């Protein structure tokens, strides 16, 4: 779902309604003179033989646009990704010419495709199978030269995320640190709660880290400049289009973006249908890991299907503490809002307190809670309208404030993103599926899996909890049991994760080019000042408060 600074809540649930500022009135600078004849047009638009458009006086208009004295050539409208409102009403397309086309796909998108296919076929399909089939479609039909999943980029993001958290714990930044991977949350915070911006992590999202890897690291290896690569990402969320269009992710030197084009899971599936590609058909070696791939693929980070940001910090603190620790989990209302507390087993001291917060309703609660604990005045937006007072500091172990919050705007997290596939429609009384295609379900043998003993998911709709759970199960299905999340100082090269750690350290050295003579074989190693500056430019970003230029009461309709 997309957010605007002018969006207001009618109540505290996960649905938002637009205000007047969602529609910006057009200001007409050159008001035409009134015609003597009521209803008559003052100008007309004509097209010449070359296809150019001209606005001419109604009295002087002619079919061949010969009235040179009164005509005005009209400029073509220029629309870019910066004009996107993330309204979910379009399918992004782009022309790729004389560039190396690269496609990266999020694991949540793979899970959505796999869940939809498994539901329609009745047999489970793994993420690896879907990845191989997407790779085959993208290279054979669309002409992409390279296709990767984004889990290694997420691995790098988690390493940098942990590093940033440790810096904040030492006083270089504010706590609690709030996750930064959800563009819907970032957009909302910039427009409605700018007081929260100092708390939001500066680490780039996996999509943008992947953009850095593709344009800079891969580009160096391939011997090409960033503007000679065209990078397309497949994401579960429409707001990822807005994220890719941010000016921070644009290179003025090469006039190119880290991610040139973003399509959603549903848009990729529509492309496959349009090209006549059957995703249910197997391709060669689809169940075999590709050991020749340039970066590790399908790394399964434990924790949540939305990136495991909170779990990566819990694992790091657990592994680095000198004595055993105990983790307790407390559900606040639903599984979309849970608190995690780490205590030293011998002393009971609270070492870390974090939360997982998904959905707009829970997001409001977190904004208010963070504002109270940090003594920050909560400003505009729903949270500010409900609570507009400063906090009183509270002490005690049980009253310890959050150290970290994993924030996602969509209920259920990224597997339930607005760009994901909708569930297969039930046969009972439904002639069309959720995409509007006419289906004969009985003839096609389509049947939705029964979740436990609760019976079939009757009348399944996009975004319902049952379907989200189905995609979640598919996300974790048939994946190897992963080791703990990456630690910045890991050095064992015997597992896929340790090899990923080693490659991440190599990426850092290749891109930052330290000159201090140290080995820097881990992500956590500190480089010289210039190299550290380069590291922050490559793997971190910044945020800006967005002030509304439209006053609703002043709009004339």
């Amino acid at each position: 779902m997309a957010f605007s600074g002018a969006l207001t809540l009618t109540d505290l649930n996960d649905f938002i309604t637009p205000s007047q500022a969602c529609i910006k009135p057009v200001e007409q600078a050159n008001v035409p003179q009134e015609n003597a004849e009521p209803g008559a047009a003052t100008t007309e638009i004509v097209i010449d033989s070359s296809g150019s458009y001209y606005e001419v006086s109604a009295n002087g208009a002619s079919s061949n646009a010969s009235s040179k004295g009164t005509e005005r050539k009209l400029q073509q409208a220029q629309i870019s990704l910066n004009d996107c409102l993330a309204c979910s009403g379009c399918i992004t397309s782009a022309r790729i010419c004389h560039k190396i086309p690269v496609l990266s796909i999020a694991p949540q998108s793979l899970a959505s495709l796999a869940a939809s296919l498994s539901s329609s076929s009745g047999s489970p399909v793994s993420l690896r199978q879907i990845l191989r089939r997407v790779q085959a479609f993208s290279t054979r039909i669309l002409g992409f030269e390279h296709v990767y999943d984004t889990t290694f980029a997420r691995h790098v993001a988690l390493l940098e995320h942990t590093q940033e958290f440790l810096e904040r714990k030492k006083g270089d930044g504010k706590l609690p640190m709030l996750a930064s991977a959800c563009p819907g949350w970032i957009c909302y915070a910039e427009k409605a709660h700018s007081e929260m911006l100092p708390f939001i992590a500066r680490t780039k999202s996996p999509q943008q880290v992947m953009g850095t890897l593709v344009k800079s690291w891969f580009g160096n290896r391939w011997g090409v400049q960033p503007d000679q690569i065209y990078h397309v990402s497949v994401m579960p969320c429409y707001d990822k289009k807005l994220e890719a269009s941010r000016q921070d992710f644009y290179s003025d030197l090469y006039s190119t973006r880290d991610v040139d084009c973003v399509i959603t899971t549903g848009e990729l599936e529509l492309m496959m249908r349009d090209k006549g590609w059957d995703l249910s058909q197997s391709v060669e070696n689809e169940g075999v890991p590709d050991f020749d791939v340039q970066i590790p693929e399908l790394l399964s980070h434990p924790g949540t299907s939305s990136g495991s940001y909170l779990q990566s910090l819990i694992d790091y603190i657990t592994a680095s503490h000198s004595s055993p620790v105990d983790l307790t989990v407390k559900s606040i209302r639903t599984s979309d809002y849970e608190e995690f507390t780490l205590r030293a087993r011998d002393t009971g001291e609270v070492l870390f307190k974090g939360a997982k917060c998904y959905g707009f309703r829970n997001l409001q609660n977190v904004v208010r809670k963070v504002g109270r604990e940090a003594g920050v005045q909560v400003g505009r937006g729903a949270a500010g309208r409900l609570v507009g007072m400063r906090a009183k500091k509270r002490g005690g172990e049980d009253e310890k404030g959050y150290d970290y919050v994993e924030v996602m705007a969509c209920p259920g997290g990224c597997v339930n993103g607005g760009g994901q596939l909708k569930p297969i429609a039930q046969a009972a009384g439904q002639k069309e599926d959720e995409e509007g295609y006419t289906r004969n379900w009985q003839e096609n043998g389509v049947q939705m899996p029964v979740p436990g003993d609760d019976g079939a998911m009757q009348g399944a709709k996009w975004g319902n909890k049952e379907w989200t759970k189905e995609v979640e199960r598919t996300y974790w299905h048939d994946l190897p049991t992963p080791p703990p999340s990456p630690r910045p100082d890991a050095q064992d090269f015997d597992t896929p994760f340790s090899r990923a750690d080693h490659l991440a350290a190599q990426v850092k050295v290749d891109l930052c080019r330290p000159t201090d003579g140290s080995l820097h074989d881990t992500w956590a190693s500190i480089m010289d000042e210039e190299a550290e500056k380069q590291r922050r430019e490559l793997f971190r970003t910044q945020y800006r408060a967005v002030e509304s230029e439209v006053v609703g009461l002043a709009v004339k309709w």
Side-chain angles (χ1 to χ4, degrees):
M1 76 177 57
F3 299 107
S4 166
L7 296 180
T8 59
L9 268 75
T10 53
D11 56 23
L12 278 183
N13 64 27
D14 291 304
F15 297 92
I16 50 181
T17 55
S19 71
Q20 281 185 328
C22 288
I23 303 173
K24 189 172 183 178
V26 176
E27 180 182 358
Q28 189 171 3
N30 53 339
V31 181
Q33 297 180 354
E34 293 186 3
N35 254 4
E37 182 181 349
T42 59
T43 60
E44 294 181 0
I45 296 177
V46 298
I47 309 173
D48 66 9
S49 58
S50 65
S52 299
Y53 289 76
Y54 292 86
E55 182 182 34
V56 299
S57 168
N59 296 328
S62 62
S63 59
N64 58 2
S66 59
S67 306
K68 298 294 182 183
T70 59
E71 70 183 26
R72 181 172 67 89
K73 187 174 182 179
L74 300 177
Q75 300 296 319
Q76 288 185 338
Q78 301 293 325
I79 300 176
S80 71
L81 196 57
N82 288 325
D83 300 301
C84 175
L85 298 176
C87 64
S88 309
C90 71
I91 295 180
T92 303
S93 62
R95 180 178 299 175
I96 306 175
C97 302
H98 310 299
K99 296 186 178 183
I100 299 176
V102 179
L103 184 136
S104 60
I105 183 168
Q108 296 88 354
S109 295
L110 295 173
S112 181
L113 292 167
S116 179
L117 187 57
S118 298
S119 298
S120 61
S121 64
S123 58
V125 182
S126 69
L127 300 194
R128 191 179 304 279
Q129 288 175 292
I130 294 295
L131 176 60
R132 292 289 177 264
R133 297 174 192 182
V134 169
Q135 288 173 331
F137 168 73
S138 302
T139 54
R140 299 174 190 175
I141 306 301
L142 299 182
F144 283 90
E145 292 189 24
H146 305 278
V147 180
Y148 309 101
D149 70 82
T150 62
T151 56
F152 176 69
R154 179 176 66 189
H155 191 82
V156 173
L158 289 174
L159 290 168
E160 184 64 17
H161 203 69
T162 302
Q163 188 70 16
E164 181 181 358
F165 178 77
L166 296 177
E167 292 171 6
R168 290 186 181 230
K169 289 288 285 185
K170 295 176 181 178
D172 187 12
K174 290 189 176 182
L175 291 175
M177 189 167 89
L178 309 178
S180 57
C182 175
W185 152 240
I186 298 300
C187 181
Y188 172 71
E190 287 185 324
K191 294 183 177 181
H193 287 291
S194 59
E195 71 279 358
M196 292 291 110
L197 298 184
F199 300 97
I200 299 178
R202 293 319 197 240
T203 302
K204 288 182 178 180
S205 71
Q207 172 180 268
Q208 297 309 133
V209 170
M210 191 69 192
T212 298
L213 293 177
V214 168
K215 289 295 182 81
S216 299
W217 190 63
F218 278 136
N220 290 339
R221 290 195 160 198
W222 297 335
V224 298
Q225 295 180 343
D227 59 346
Q228 295 175 298
I229 301 173
Y230 195 88
H231 180 204
V232 178
S233 69
V234 181
M235 290 287 140
C237 174
Y238 282 97
D239 285 340
K240 286 295 182 181
K241 299 172 186 278
L242 298 180
E243 180 180 84
S245 72
R246 293 177 69 94
Q247 192 62 31
D248 296 302
F249 306 136
Y250 180 82
S251 170
D252 292 319
L253 178 61
Y254 294 103
S255 300
T256 187
R257 297 189 181 279
D258 294 340
V259 180
D260 297 285
C261 176
V262 181
I263 61 175
T264 64
T265 313
E267 292 168 354
L268 175 63
E269 196 261 353
L270 287 176
M271 288 182 184
M272 291 180 174
R273 292 193 187 192
D274 183 59
K275 298 294 184 180
W277 182 269
D278 188 357
L279 192 61
S280 66
Q281 295 298 313
S282 301
V283 297
E284 63 274 9
N285 300 321
E286 66 175 24
V288 180
D290 186 358
F291 296 105
D292 295 327
V293 71
Q294 293 174 292
I295 57 176
E297 63 179 16
L298 296 179
L299 294 171
S300 177
H301 298 94
T304 67
S305 58
S306 297
S308 303
Y309 296 93
L310 174 62
Q311 188 64 43
S312 67
L313 296 179
I314 291 174
D315 289 341
Y316 178 83
I317 295 171
T318 300
S320 59
H321 195 63
S322 57
S323 60
V325 300
D326 293 319
L327 174 65
T328 58
V329 181
K330 178 183 177 182
S331 181
I332 312 295
R333 298 183 182 87
T334 68
S335 60
D336 273 352
Y337 189 2
E338 295 178 329
E339 291 184 347
F340 297 73
T341 305
L342 272 179
R343 283 185 169 87
R345 185 174 301 173
D346 52 356
T347 65
E349 177 191 0
V350 177
L351 304 175
F352 173 87
K353 187 174 182 179
K356 180 189 78 172
C357 171
Y358 296 166
F360 200 74
R361 180 191 317 188
N362 294 325
L363 189 151
Q364 304 306 314
N365 295 327
V366 165
V367 168
R368 292 194 297 273
K369 182 176 176 63
V370 170
R372 287 196 306 268
E373 293 175 347
V376 174
Q377 179 73 36
V378 176
R380 298 181 294 123
R385 283 190 291 274
L386 289 177
V387 178
M389 59 184 181
R390 291 190 179 273
K392 291 183 179 180
K393 294 286 185 177
R394 295 176 294 179
E397 279 185 357
D398 294 334
E399 299 299 334
K400 174 180 170 59
Y402 291 148
D403 295 297
Y404 182 84
V405 184
E406 181 176 305
V407 184
M408 301 292 161
C410 292
C414 296
V415 292
N416 189 36
Q420 296 283 68
L421 296 184
K422 301 173 184 178
I424 300 296
Q426 294 298 129
Q430 268 185 292
K431 302 295 184 183
E432 296 181 345
D433 66 7
E434 300 297 335
E435 296 283 357
Y437 290 90
T438 302
R439 300 292 189 197
N440 186 325
W441 302 109
Q442 186 175 6
E443 188 176 285
N444 292 340
V446 174
Q447 182 178 0
M448 182 70 78
V450 178
D453 298 326
D454 298 332
M457 292 179 278
Q458 298 295 331
K461 299 294 183 182
W462 166 66
N464 65 47
K465 293 181 179 179
E466 291 83 2
W467 180 248
T468 301
K469 291 178 182 177
E470 186 66 30
V471 180
E472 180 85 13
R473 282 191 291 268
T474 304
Y475 178 91
W476 297 110
H477 176 72
D478 202 31
L479 287 174
T481 302
S485 291
R487 289 184 51 186
D489 56 352
Q491 299 188 50
D492 180 12
F493 304 151
D494 294 334
T495 68
F497 273 75
S498 57
R499 289 194 294 271
D501 287 335
H502 180 65
L503 182 59
Q506 184 62 50
V507 167
K508 183 184 74 170
V509 171
D510 290 346
L511 293 179
C512 300
R513 299 178 181 179
T515 58
D516 55 5
S518 300
L519 184 59
H520 298 298
D521 56 350
T522 68
W523 189 267
S525 63
I526 303 301
M527 302 175 289
D528 59 90
E529 183 177 351
E530 189 61 31
E532 284 295 321
K533 179 182 177 182
Q534 181 71 1
R535 168 192 188 153
R536 283 171 169 77
E537 291 179 356
L538 290 169
F539 299 106
R540 298 189 189 182
T541 184
Q542 55 189 336
Y543 313 106
R544 303 170 185 85
V546 178
E547 297 297 333
S548 175
E549 298 178 355
V550 179
V551 179
L553 295 177
V555 175
K556 295 181 180 180
W557 300 94

